[in-house]
Every structure is written in structure tokens, then in C-alpha cells.
Amino acid sequence: MSEQVSQVPVEHFNPQPREVWSNPYPWYQRYRSLDPVHWTLAAERGDAGVWYVFRYEDALAIRAHPCLSRKYRHDRLAEQEIPPAMKPYSDKLRHWMVEMDAPHHTRLRSLTTKHFTSRTVERLRPKLEGLSNYLIDRVLAAGRMDVVGQFAYPMALLTITEMLGMPREDAALFKSWSLTFTAIENRRPTLDLYQRASDAVLEFDAYLKKAIAERRKAPGDDVLSTLVMARNDEQLTDDEVIGTCMLMLFAGHETTVNILGNSVLTLLRNPEQLQLLRAHPELMESAVEDLLRYESPVQSVSNGHASEDFELGGKTIRKGQKVITVFGSANRDPEVFPDPDRLDITRQANRHMAFGMGAHNCLGAPLARLEMRVALETLLRRLPNLRLLSETANWKEGLMLRGLDSLPVAF
């Protein structure tokens, strides 16, 4: 652990500084050991305080806690005067299913689940294999590429736009909106970020309303059609349809990009594990799981606000206080994962939290796993001499999502 980390007072965890989000694991180790259920009032956060949960055991307990509400914050915001720049984005955010409690969350999730089962997404394998080979063909002659910009982004983006039923030629629009939503969710919110996010929401809203009208006339076999054509008790408002699609774009695109970039970087930094995977491709399934654990694409997620007082890890969480689970720390907890700071592609019984836990676990996990397997299989097969062009990792700013801005490699 660095000297700088050891001098940080335990009462002030702040994920905003570069030295934290560029390498959060020594910080996680410190708080996991000294104050695993941790209250911070760090001024730099720009909020009234928040609880961070660092240990696996506590994270597991909190994910399904009945005293935590996702909609509490939105109910409070509805009672307040908020700046006009915040309103369009905040209004749409409350229609994301991850921001809802049961039974509304259950209703929305049940409509989309059928598109993301392991059996359903497996049908996409031929298309994913064709897409990954096409992306490599485009850069093969150059002998180098940016894994993030030239491989991970187009693969994830084209996959999620196809599942939503959107035309490929609109992929650039979807990427722009997704990057804007990512910026405000992953960084300290400012009025400028809120304004950009609100502008993007209004554009996305107008685009989706046209698509919704088209699906009502001629539905297809895509997620948007399923949402639009729901009937009776399951029937959705346009705002619910648009909010769900907005969440799928953000979660299904940005998270997968991070998974692919993080995995390639991790394997290239662990050449003995990469060599083992090349020699034993049957280890791909366990390799995928430990890559997800080792550099989780989602490092921390809000569990909502306490609807009443309750106890966790010897601390009292008061009504109205916000609780954040730090998955990145839970996935390095030595009480659950022996030698947690080592990548081990043979690791078994890997109960990581890369996709969350409980009712709000990631709906798109089967698709993300399939994209990850196909991408890695194709890269390892077609680029046997893959190597990093820089030892410095270009991490994105922020600690909710962990991913790379770019990953230059040669082959």
C-alpha cells in the first residue's frame, strides 16, 4: 500500500481524485480492513454524505435489504425546486427499472427478461463471431489497433442497437448519447453535465417516440417491440418504454465496452495466464468469470436510500441516508477469494459480484458473457502475437464504472 494511501484519514473516502480511481484496490483494502461500512461527508463529493459498503458479506446482505428504496430519491426530488438543467434528465431517470422498487421493477424486468436468457442470446453467436472477425479484418493490415475504439465500442454498440431494433446507420447517435449518460453517472455531477445529459435525453426521447410509433404499426422481434406491444396489466407508458431503452443503451453498451477492454489489458499484463488460456481454450468459461471479478466493469452502485433506520456491520443506517455497494472491493475480499489480487483463470466457485446480486442483478449478464467469450476467442485465435504498445493504462475518469478510454496494441 502506498504511503499516500496509508495517510488518508479513514473517515473520508472520496472516489473523485485520480489517485483513487486510477488504482482503487489499495484504497479498498484499507477501508475493508478498518471501516468496512463507512460513512463519508467528503466535501469534494458535493452531496450530504453517503455510506460505502466494502466487504463481500455486507455487500451481499445489503443488496436485498427490505429497508432500502430506489425511488426514495426521486420522490424527494419531486418535492423540491431543482435547476431547469437537471429536470429533463432527472425526470427520465426515475423510469429506469434499476431506479424502481417492486412491484414496478418486477413488471418492467419481466417484459425484457426473455430477450436476455442464456438460450436466447446464444442465437446471436454467429452474428457476434461475424462482427468480431469483420472488426479484426479492418485493422489486420495495419498491425495495430485501439482495442477500445476500434473493437470493443463497435462490437458492443452494434449488438445492443440490434437487440433494440435500431438501424445500424444510427449507431453514431447512440454512441454519443451513451457517452453523455456515462459522463454524468460516472463523475461528480455539475450543472454543465446535467445540461448536456438533459439535451441528450430530449434528443433520445424524440428519436424513440418516432420508433415507438413505427413499432405500433409494424412490430418486430426486438426489445422495443416487446415493450411497445405489452398489453393489459403489463402495458407501459411511453416514458417507461423510453426509460427502459435508455437504461439498456447505457448499461448494455458502456459496460460491455469496459468488460472487453479490461479483459484484454488484464490478460496482456498476466502473460502466464494468457499462455495458459491459449494452451487450454476449454478454460475460457472460468477465465471469463475471473476476469470479471479481477477488473469489474461496474465498481460501485447505489442501493438507494434507507426507508427506515436499520443496522449493518455494527453501524446504524438512518432513514434517508444513501448506501453504495462497492463491488470492486467485494470482489477482492480475501475472506471469499483466496489470493484476491491475482488473476487465476482456473478459479472455481467464483461468486463474484461483477453483475450485481439479488433482484437488481444485471439483466444483460448472459449477453455480456457471450460477447466476452466470442471477442476473446476471436482475438486469441487471429492475433497470436498481441502485445501492449504502452504499459500505462488510460483509465476513464470516475469510479462507478471502470474502463479504459483507449487500449493501443500491436500484433
Side-chain angles (χ1 to χ4, degrees), residues 61-134:
I62 204 70
R63 290 301 290 170
H65 204 286
C67 293
L68 283 170
S69 168
R70 301 297 180 112
K71 66 186 288 289
Y72 180 94
R73 173 168 67 104
H74 301 288
D75 290 345
R76 294 292 299 273
L77 281 173
E79 299 170 357
Q80 301 171 11
E81 269 308 312
I82 62 173
M86 292 176 60
K87 189 164 177 56
Y89 183 76
S90 295
D91 284 351
K92 197 63 68 180
L93 198 65
R94 65 189 177 90
H95 294 293
W96 289 21
M97 71 174 77
V98 295
E99 297 289 323
M100 297 178 178
D101 300 328
H104 303 295
H105 169 265
T106 310
R107 169 171 154 263
L108 267 178
R109 188 179 175 103
S110 66
L111 281 172
T112 52
T113 296
K114 71 173 186 177
H115 292 279
F116 292 95
T117 65
S118 297
R119 179 178 295 181
T120 302
V121 300
E122 186 61 34
R123 297 179 203 157
L124 294 173
R125 181 182 283 273
K127 288 186 177 181
L128 291 173
E129 289 173 344
L131 178 57
S132 58
N133 278 298
Y134 164 72

Side-chain angles (χ1 to χ4, degrees), residues 86 105 172 257 278 374:
M86 292 176 60
H105 169 265
V257 172
R278 287 189 187 278
V374 169

Side-chain angles (χ1 to χ4, degrees), residues 121-122 124-125 127-129 131-132 136 147 151-152 155-157 159 252-267 274 277 281 283-298 331 343-345 350 352 354-355 364-381 386 402:
V121 300
E122 186 61 34
L124 294 173
R125 181 182 283 273
K127 288 186 177 181
L128 291 173
E129 289 173 344
L131 178 57
S132 58
I136 290 177
V147 171
F151 187 80
M155 185 168 182
L157 185 62
T159 300
H253 169 222
E254 192 65 28
T255 305
T256 303
V257 172
N258 293 346
I259 286 172
L260 298 181
N262 295 0
S263 298
V264 173
L265 174 67
T266 300
L267 284 171
L274 176 56
L277 184 57
L283 291 174
M284 182 59 76
E285 185 174 343
S286 58
V288 161
E289 298 308 316
D290 211 48
L291 287 164
L292 286 166
R293 178 198 67 82
Y294 187 83
E295 284 286 9
S296 299
V298 179
N331 286 340
L343 177 70
D344 179 5
I345 67 168
N350 198 333
H352 65 75
F355 293 121
L367 176 60
R369 284 185 166 99
L370 178 63
E371 289 183 83
M372 195 173 170
R373 286 197 298 271
V374 169
L376 292 177
E377 287 165 357
T378 307
L379 287 168
L380 296 185
R381 175 174 53 84
L386 196 64
R402 182 158 173 82

